[in-house]
Structure formats: C-alpha cells, structure tokens
Coordinates of all heavy atoms in Angstrom, one line a residue:
M32 N -75.6 104.4 -91.1 CA -74.5 104.3 -90.2 C -75.0 104.1 -88.8 O -75.9 104.9 -88.3 CB -73.6 105.6 -90.3 CG -72.3 105.4 -89.6 SD -71.0 106.4 -90.3 CE -69.9 106.5 -88.9
P33 N -74.5 103.1 -88.0 CA -75.1 102.8 -86.7 C -74.5 103.8 -85.7 O -73.6 104.5 -86.0 CB -74.5 101.4 -86.4 CG -73.3 101.3 -87.2 CD -73.5 102.1 -88.4
P34 N -75.2 103.9 -84.5 CA -74.7 104.8 -83.5 C -73.4 104.3 -83.0 O -73.2 103.1 -82.8 CB -75.7 104.7 -82.4 CG -76.9 103.9 -82.9 CD -76.4 103.3 -84.2
L35 N -72.4 105.2 -82.8 CA -71.1 104.8 -82.4 C -70.7 105.5 -81.1 O -71.2 106.6 -80.8 CB -70.1 105.2 -83.5 CG -70.2 104.4 -84.8 CD1 -69.4 104.9 -85.9 CD2 -69.9 102.9 -84.5
P36 N -69.7 105.0 -80.3 CA -69.2 105.7 -79.2 C -68.6 107.0 -79.6 O -67.9 107.0 -80.6 CB -68.3 104.7 -78.5 CG -68.5 103.4 -79.1 CD -69.2 103.6 -80.5
K37 N -68.7 108.0 -78.8 CA -68.1 109.3 -79.1 C -66.6 109.3 -79.1 O -66.0 109.9 -80.0 CB -68.7 110.3 -78.1 CG -68.4 111.8 -78.6 CD -69.2 112.7 -77.7 CE -69.1 114.1 -78.2 NZ -70.0 115.0 -77.4
R38 N -66.1 108.6 -78.1 CA -64.6 108.4 -78.1 C -64.2 107.1 -77.5 O -65.1 106.4 -76.9 CB -64.0 109.5 -77.2 CG -64.5 109.7 -75.8 CD -63.9 110.8 -75.1 NE -64.3 112.1 -75.6 CZ -65.4 112.8 -75.2 NH1 -66.2 112.3 -74.3 NH2 -65.7 113.9 -75.7
K39 N -63.0 106.7 -77.7 CA -62.6 105.3 -77.3 C -62.3 105.3 -75.8 O -62.0 106.3 -75.2 CB -61.3 104.9 -78.0 CG -60.0 105.5 -77.6 CD -58.9 104.8 -78.2 CE -57.6 105.2 -77.6 NZ -56.4 104.5 -78.2
Y40 N -62.6 104.1 -75.2 CA -62.3 104.0 -73.8 C -60.8 103.9 -73.6 O -60.2 103.2 -74.3 CB -63.0 102.7 -73.2 CG -64.5 102.8 -73.0 CD1 -65.2 101.7 -72.8 CD2 -65.1 104.1 -72.9 CE1 -66.6 101.8 -72.5 CE2 -66.4 104.2 -72.6 CZ -67.2 103.1 -72.5 OH -68.5 103.2 -72.2
P41 N -60.3 104.5 -72.5 CA -58.9 104.4 -72.3 C -58.5 103.0 -71.8 O -59.4 102.2 -71.3 CB -58.6 105.4 -71.2 CG -59.9 106.0 -70.8 CD -60.9 105.5 -71.6
K42 N -57.3 102.6 -72.0 CA -56.8 101.2 -71.6 C -57.0 101.0 -70.1 O -57.3 99.8 -69.7 CB -55.4 101.0 -71.9 CG -55.1 101.1 -73.4 CD -54.2 99.9 -73.8 CE -54.2 99.7 -75.3 NZ -53.7 100.9 -76.0
A43 N -56.9 102.0 -69.3 CA -57.1 101.9 -67.8 C -58.6 101.5 -67.5 O -58.8 100.6 -66.7 CB -56.8 103.2 -67.1
R44 N -59.5 102.1 -68.2 CA -60.9 101.8 -68.0 C -61.2 100.4 -68.5 O -62.0 99.6 -67.9 CB -61.8 102.8 -68.7 CG -63.2 102.7 -68.3 CD -64.0 103.9 -68.8 NE -65.4 103.7 -68.7 CZ -66.3 104.6 -69.1 NH1 -66.0 105.7 -69.6 NH2 -67.6 104.3 -69.0
Q45 N -60.6 100.0 -69.6 CA -60.8 98.7 -70.2 C -60.3 97.6 -69.2 O -60.9 96.6 -69.0 CB -60.1 98.6 -71.5 CG -60.0 97.2 -72.1 CD -59.2 97.3 -73.4 OE1 -59.6 97.8 -74.4 NE2 -58.0 96.7 -73.3
G46 N -59.1 97.9 -68.6 CA -58.5 97.0 -67.7 C -59.4 96.9 -66.4 O -59.5 95.8 -65.8
K47 N -59.9 98.0 -66.0 CA -60.8 97.9 -64.8 C -62.0 97.1 -65.0 O -62.4 96.3 -64.2 CB -61.2 99.3 -64.4 CG -60.2 100.1 -63.6 CD -60.7 101.5 -63.4 CE -59.5 102.4 -63.0 NZ -59.9 103.8 -63.0
R48 N -62.6 97.2 -66.2 CA -63.7 96.3 -66.5 C -63.3 94.8 -66.6 O -64.0 94.0 -66.1 CB -64.3 96.8 -67.9 CG -65.6 96.0 -68.3 CD -66.2 96.5 -69.5 NE -65.3 96.3 -70.7 CZ -64.8 97.4 -71.4 NH1 -65.0 98.6 -71.0 NH2 -64.1 97.1 -72.4
R49 N -62.2 94.6 -67.2 CA -61.8 93.2 -67.4 C -61.2 92.6 -66.1 O -60.9 91.4 -66.1 CB -60.7 93.1 -68.5 CG -61.4 93.4 -69.8 CD -60.4 93.3 -71.0 NE -61.1 93.6 -72.2 CZ -60.5 93.8 -73.4 NH1 -59.2 93.6 -73.4 NH2 -61.1 94.1 -74.4
S50 N -61.0 93.4 -65.1 CA -60.5 92.8 -63.8 C -61.5 91.9 -63.2 O -61.1 91.1 -62.3 CB -60.1 93.9 -62.9 OG -61.2 94.6 -62.4
H51 N -62.7 91.9 -63.6 CA -63.7 91.1 -63.0 C -64.1 89.9 -63.9 O -65.0 89.1 -63.6 CB -65.0 91.9 -62.7 CG -64.8 93.0 -61.8 ND1 -64.7 92.9 -60.4 CD2 -64.7 94.3 -62.0 CE1 -64.5 94.1 -59.9 NE2 -64.5 95.0 -60.8
L52 N -63.4 89.7 -65.0 CA -63.8 88.7 -66.0 C -63.0 87.4 -65.8 O -63.3 86.4 -66.5 CB -63.5 89.2 -67.4 CG -64.4 90.4 -67.8 CD1 -64.1 90.8 -69.2 CD2 -65.8 90.1 -67.6
A53 N -62.1 87.3 -64.9 CA -61.3 86.1 -64.8 C -62.2 84.9 -64.3 O -63.1 85.1 -63.5 CB -60.1 86.3 -63.8
L54 N -61.9 83.7 -64.8 CA -62.6 82.5 -64.4 C -61.9 81.9 -63.3 O -60.7 81.8 -63.2 CB -62.7 81.5 -65.6 CG -63.5 82.0 -66.8 CD1 -63.4 81.0 -67.9 CD2 -65.0 82.3 -66.4
K55 N -62.7 81.4 -62.3 CA -62.1 80.7 -61.2 C -62.1 79.2 -61.5 O -63.0 78.7 -62.2 CB -63.0 81.0 -59.9 CG -62.8 82.4 -59.4 CD -63.7 82.6 -58.3 CE -63.7 84.1 -57.9 NZ -64.9 84.5 -57.1
P56 N -61.2 78.5 -60.9 CA -61.2 77.0 -61.1 C -62.3 76.4 -60.4 O -62.8 76.9 -59.3 CB -59.8 76.6 -60.5 CG -59.4 77.7 -59.6 CD -60.0 78.9 -60.2
A57 N -62.8 75.3 -60.9 CA -64.0 74.6 -60.3 C -63.5 73.9 -59.1 O -62.4 73.4 -59.0 CB -64.5 73.6 -61.3
G58 N -64.4 74.0 -58.0 CA -64.1 73.4 -56.8 C -64.1 71.9 -56.8 O -65.0 71.3 -57.5
L59 N -63.3 71.3 -56.1 CA -63.3 69.8 -56.1 C -63.7 69.3 -54.7 O -63.4 69.9 -53.7 CB -61.9 69.3 -56.4 CG -61.4 69.3 -57.8 CD1 -60.0 68.7 -57.9 CD2 -62.3 68.6 -58.7
S60 N -64.5 68.3 -54.7 CA -64.9 67.6 -53.4 C -64.5 66.2 -53.5 O -64.1 65.7 -54.5 CB -66.4 67.8 -53.2 OG -67.1 67.2 -54.2
R61 N -64.6 65.5 -52.4 CA -64.2 64.1 -52.3 C -65.4 63.2 -52.5 O -66.5 63.5 -51.9 CB -63.6 63.8 -51.0 CG -62.3 64.6 -50.7 CD -61.1 63.8 -51.4 NE -60.0 64.8 -51.6 CZ -59.0 64.5 -52.4 NH1 -58.9 63.3 -52.9 NH2 -58.0 65.4 -52.5
C62 N -65.2 62.1 -53.2 CA -66.3 61.1 -53.2 C -66.4 60.4 -51.9 O -65.3 59.9 -51.3 CB -65.9 60.0 -54.3 SG -66.9 58.6 -54.4
P63 N -67.6 60.2 -51.3 CA -67.7 59.6 -50.0 C -67.4 58.1 -50.1 O -67.2 57.4 -49.1 CB -69.1 59.8 -49.6 CG -69.8 60.1 -50.8 CD -68.8 60.8 -51.8
Q64 N -67.5 57.5 -51.3 CA -67.2 56.1 -51.5 C -65.8 55.8 -51.6 O -65.2 55.0 -50.9 CB -68.0 55.6 -52.7 CG -67.9 54.2 -53.0 CD -69.1 53.4 -52.6 OE1 -69.7 53.7 -51.6 NE2 -69.3 52.3 -53.2
C65 N -65.1 56.4 -52.6 CA -63.7 56.0 -52.9 C -62.7 57.1 -52.5 O -61.5 56.9 -52.7 CB -63.6 55.6 -54.3 SG -63.8 57.0 -55.5
H66 N -63.2 58.3 -52.1 CA -62.4 59.4 -51.6 C -61.5 60.0 -52.7 O -60.5 60.6 -52.4 CB -61.5 59.0 -50.4 CG -62.4 58.4 -49.3 ND1 -63.2 59.2 -48.6 CD2 -62.5 57.2 -48.8 CE1 -63.9 58.5 -47.7 NE2 -63.4 57.2 -47.8
N67 N -61.9 59.7 -53.9 CA -61.1 60.4 -55.0 C -61.8 61.8 -55.3 O -62.9 62.0 -54.9 CB -61.2 59.6 -56.3 CG -60.1 58.6 -56.4 OD1 -59.0 58.8 -55.9 ND2 -60.4 57.4 -56.9
A68 N -61.0 62.7 -55.9 CA -61.6 64.0 -56.2 C -62.6 63.9 -57.3 O -62.4 63.2 -58.3 CB -60.4 64.9 -56.6
R69 N -63.7 64.7 -57.1 CA -64.7 64.7 -58.2 C -65.4 66.1 -58.1 O -65.2 66.8 -57.1 CB -65.8 63.6 -58.0 CG -66.6 63.8 -56.7 CD -67.8 62.9 -56.7 NE -68.5 63.0 -55.4 CZ -69.3 63.9 -55.1 NH1 -69.6 64.9 -55.9 NH2 -69.9 63.9 -53.9
L70 N -66.1 66.5 -59.2 CA -66.8 67.8 -59.2 C -68.0 67.6 -58.3 O -68.6 66.6 -58.3 CB -67.2 68.1 -60.6 CG -66.0 68.6 -61.5 CD1 -66.6 68.7 -62.9 CD2 -65.4 69.9 -61.0
P71 N -68.4 68.7 -57.6 CA -69.6 68.6 -56.8 C -70.9 68.5 -57.6 O -70.9 69.0 -58.8 CB -69.6 69.9 -56.0 CG -68.7 70.8 -56.7 CD -67.7 70.0 -57.3
H72 N -71.9 67.8 -57.2 CA -73.2 67.6 -57.8 C -73.0 66.7 -59.1 O -73.8 66.9 -60.0 CB -73.9 68.9 -58.2 CG -74.0 69.8 -57.0 ND1 -74.8 69.6 -56.0 CD2 -73.3 71.0 -56.8 CE1 -74.6 70.6 -55.1 NE2 -73.7 71.5 -55.6
T73 N -72.0 65.9 -59.1 CA -71.8 65.0 -60.3 C -71.6 63.6 -59.7 O -71.1 63.4 -58.6 CB -70.7 65.4 -61.1 OG1 -69.5 65.4 -60.3 CG2 -70.9 66.7 -61.8
A74 N -71.8 62.6 -60.6 CA -71.5 61.2 -60.2 C -69.9 61.1 -60.2 O -69.3 61.8 -61.0 CB -72.1 60.2 -61.2
C75 N -69.4 60.2 -59.4 CA -68.0 60.1 -59.3 C -67.5 59.4 -60.6 O -68.0 58.4 -61.0 CB -67.7 59.2 -58.1 SG -65.9 58.8 -58.0
P76 N -66.5 60.0 -61.3 CA -66.0 59.4 -62.5 C -65.2 58.1 -62.3 O -65.0 57.3 -63.2 CB -65.1 60.5 -63.1 CG -64.7 61.3 -61.9 CD -65.8 61.3 -61.0
T77 N -64.8 57.9 -61.0 CA -64.0 56.7 -60.7 C -64.8 55.5 -60.5 O -64.6 54.4 -61.0 CB -63.0 57.0 -59.6 OG1 -62.4 58.3 -59.8 CG2 -62.0 55.9 -59.4
C78 N -65.8 55.7 -59.5 CA -66.6 54.5 -59.1 C -68.1 54.6 -59.5 O -68.8 53.7 -59.3 CB -66.5 54.3 -57.6 SG -67.2 55.6 -56.6
G79 N -68.5 55.8 -60.1 CA -69.9 55.9 -60.5 C -70.9 56.2 -59.4 O -72.1 56.1 -59.6
F80 N -70.4 56.5 -58.2 CA -71.3 56.6 -57.0 C -71.9 58.0 -57.0 O -71.2 59.0 -57.3 CB -70.4 56.4 -55.8 CG -71.2 56.4 -54.5 CD1 -71.9 55.3 -54.1 CD2 -71.1 57.5 -53.7 CE1 -72.6 55.3 -52.9 CE2 -71.8 57.5 -52.5 CZ -72.6 56.4 -52.1
Y81 N -73.2 58.1 -56.6 CA -73.8 59.4 -56.4 C -74.8 59.3 -55.3 O -75.8 58.7 -55.4 CB -74.5 59.8 -57.7 CG -75.0 61.2 -57.7 CD1 -74.1 62.3 -57.7 CD2 -76.4 61.5 -57.6 CE1 -74.5 63.6 -57.6 CE2 -76.8 62.8 -57.6 CZ -75.9 63.8 -57.6 OH -76.3 65.1 -57.5
R82 N -74.5 60.1 -54.2 CA -75.4 60.3 -53.1 C -76.1 59.1 -52.6 O -77.3 59.0 -52.4 CB -76.5 61.3 -53.5 CG -76.0 62.7 -53.6 CD -77.2 63.7 -53.7 NE -78.1 63.6 -52.6 CZ -78.4 64.6 -51.9 NH1 -78.0 65.8 -52.2 NH2 -79.2 64.5 -50.9
R83 N -75.3 58.1 -52.2 CA -75.8 56.9 -51.5 C -76.8 56.1 -52.3 O -76.9 54.9 -52.2 CB -76.5 57.2 -50.2 CG -75.5 57.8 -49.1 CD -76.3 57.9 -47.8 NE -75.4 58.6 -46.9 CZ -75.3 59.9 -46.7 NH1 -76.0 60.7 -47.5 NH2 -74.5 60.5 -45.9
A84 N -77.7 56.7 -53.1 CA -78.9 56.0 -53.6 C -78.4 55.1 -54.7 O -78.7 53.9 -54.7 CB -79.8 57.0 -54.2
G85 N -77.7 55.6 -55.7 CA -77.5 54.7 -56.9 C -76.1 54.9 -57.4 O -75.4 55.9 -57.1
A86 N -75.7 54.0 -58.2 CA -74.4 54.0 -58.8 C -74.6 53.9 -60.3 O -75.4 53.1 -60.8 CB -73.4 52.9 -58.3
I87 N -73.9 54.8 -61.0 CA -73.9 54.7 -62.5 C -72.8 53.8 -62.9 O -71.6 54.0 -62.4 CB -73.8 56.1 -63.1 CG1 -75.0 57.0 -62.6 CG2 -73.7 56.1 -64.6 CD1 -74.8 58.5 -62.8
P88 N -73.0 52.9 -63.8 CA -71.9 52.0 -64.2 C -70.9 52.8 -65.0 O -71.2 53.6 -65.9 CB -72.6 51.0 -65.1 CG -73.9 51.6 -65.5 CD -74.3 52.4 -64.3
V89 N -69.6 52.7 -64.6 CA -68.5 53.4 -65.2 C -68.2 52.7 -66.5 O -68.0 51.5 -66.6 CB -67.3 53.4 -64.2 CG1 -66.2 54.1 -64.9 CG2 -67.6 54.0 -62.9
S90 N -68.2 53.5 -67.6 CA -68.1 53.0 -68.9 C -66.8 52.3 -69.2 O -66.7 51.3 -69.8 CB -68.4 54.1 -70.0 OG -67.5 55.1 -69.8
R91 N -65.7 53.0 -68.7 CA -64.4 52.4 -69.0 C -63.6 52.2 -67.7 O -63.0 53.1 -67.1 CB -63.6 53.3 -69.9 CG -63.7 54.7 -69.6 CD -63.2 55.6 -70.7 NE -63.4 57.0 -70.4 CZ -62.6 57.7 -69.6 NH1 -61.5 57.2 -69.1 NH2 -62.9 59.0 -69.3
P92 N -63.8 51.0 -67.1 CA -63.1 50.7 -65.8 C -61.6 50.7 -66.0 O -61.1 50.1 -67.0 CB -63.6 49.4 -65.4 CG -64.1 48.8 -66.6 CD -64.5 49.9 -67.5
K93 N -60.8 51.4 -65.1 CA -59.4 51.5 -65.3 C -58.7 50.3 -64.7 O -57.8 49.7 -65.3 CB -58.9 52.8 -64.7 CG -59.3 54.0 -65.4 CD -59.1 55.3 -64.6 CE -59.8 56.5 -65.3 NZ -59.8 57.6 -64.5
A94 N -59.1 49.9 -63.4 CA -58.3 48.9 -62.7 C -58.7 47.5 -63.2 O -57.9 46.6 -63.2 CB -58.6 49.1 -61.2
A95 N -60.0 47.3 -63.5 CA -60.5 46.0 -63.9 C -60.0 45.5 -65.2 O -59.6 46.3 -66.1 CB -62.1 46.0 -63.9
E96 N -59.9 44.2 -65.4 CA -59.4 43.5 -66.5 C -57.9 43.6 -66.8 O -57.3 44.7 -66.9 CB -60.2 43.9 -67.8 CG -61.6 43.5 -67.7 CD -62.5 44.1 -68.9 OE1 -61.9 44.7 -69.8 OE2 -63.7 43.9 -68.8
Ligands
ZN397 ZN1 -66.0 57.4 -56.1

C-alpha cells in the first residue's frame, strides 16, 4: 500500500491552490508590414513577414486568385 495523505484537503485549500492555475490569453502584437494582429516572435500568418529580413511564403493566400 503506497503512502497516503492523512486527511483530505478542504475545498477552501483546494480553491486557494487552483486560484493560480488559470491560463492567460496570449498577447497579440501588430505586424509591421500589414498591421494585422499576430502572435509575438512568429511570422505573420497573413503576409509571411518576419523581422524585416525575410518573408515566409504563405501557403494559402486568401486574397489572391
Ligand atoms: Zn503581415
């Protein structure tokens, strides 16, 4: 038989522990090229632009064709 807690934690203590577990929404920043919202440190999903240097080709262009 494994070691077990001597008594159960009260719901108040469980709630106090879980009060720090909530996830925050990811912050959004603006693409300097097309000014659409994108996640920070990622290539822009709209235009494929990343930090002036290079652009990644967008696999499925929405406006074109
Ligand atoms: Zn962009």
Side-chain angles (χ1 to χ4, degrees):
M32 194 149 154
L35 292 171
K37 194 169 188 175
R38 55 183 68 88
K39 77 169 188 179
Y40 282 165
K42 294 226 167 60
R44 189 167 168 183
Q45 172 184 289
K47 279 174 196 168
R48 181 175 66 245
R49 290 180 183 173
S50 70
H51 301 283
L52 294 183
L54 295 175
K55 288 174 190 164
L59 284 179
S60 61
R61 294 275 158 192
C62 172
Q64 179 102 331
C65 67
H66 306 291
N67 273 325
R69 64 165 175 82
L70 289 172
H72 312 288
T73 57
C75 176
T77 311
C78 66
F80 184 77
Y81 188 69
R82 282 190 65 124
R83 292 185 187 88
I87 297 166
V89 180
S90 56
R91 41 191 178 84
K93 290 166 189 168
E96 293 172 6

